[in-house]
């Protein structure tokens, strides 16, 4: 069994996520999202989709970006 890096649960069905050179262990997708997903600077929600960016700031949507004054957004979706 392994321990979740987010909640500390010792669980027999954990999985690992590698980000850059760091490897994390989680017991659920919820914990992985809570630990790794960026937070929208306008509304505070976790960004689990593509989001939109400007100057290395990631927003959950175009509305939140506009509310923060972003005017040159980049969408990384193909």
């Amino acid at each position: 069994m392994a321990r979740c890096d987010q909640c500390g649960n010792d669980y027999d069905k954990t999985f690992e996520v590698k980000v850059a050179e760091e490897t994390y262990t989680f017991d659920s997708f919820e914990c992985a999202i809570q630990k790794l997903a960026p937070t929208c600077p306008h509304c505070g929600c976790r960004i689990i989709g593509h989001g939109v960016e400007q100057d290395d700031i990631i927003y959950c949507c175009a509305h939140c970006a506009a509310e923060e004054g972003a005017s040159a957004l980049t969408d990384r979706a193909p």
Side-chain angles (χ1 to χ4, degrees):
M1 295 212 293
R3 191 166 301 280
C4 178
D5 288 332
Q6 177 63 27
C7 72
N9 184 30
D10 197 15
Y11 188 54
D12 66 338
K13 294 175 180 64
T14 59
F15 60 93
E16 292 183 344
V17 176
K18 185 173 182 179
V19 179
E21 297 300 317
E22 190 83 27
T23 301
Y24 300 91
T25 301
F26 299 107
D27 67 346
S28 66
F29 287 112
E30 291 88 349
C31 282
I33 289 167
Q34 188 64 31
K35 180 111 177 145
L36 300 176
T39 303
C40 178
H42 181 72
C43 71
C45 75
R46 293 287 177 178
I47 303 167
I48 58 173
H50 289 106
V52 293
E53 305 179 35
Q54 181 174 321
D55 300 328
D56 294 328
I57 300 171
I58 303 173
Y59 302 93
C60 67
C61 64
H63 169 77
C64 284
E67 289 291 310
E68 292 290 309
S71 59
L73 297 174
T74 302
D75 183 353
R76 301 249 180 170

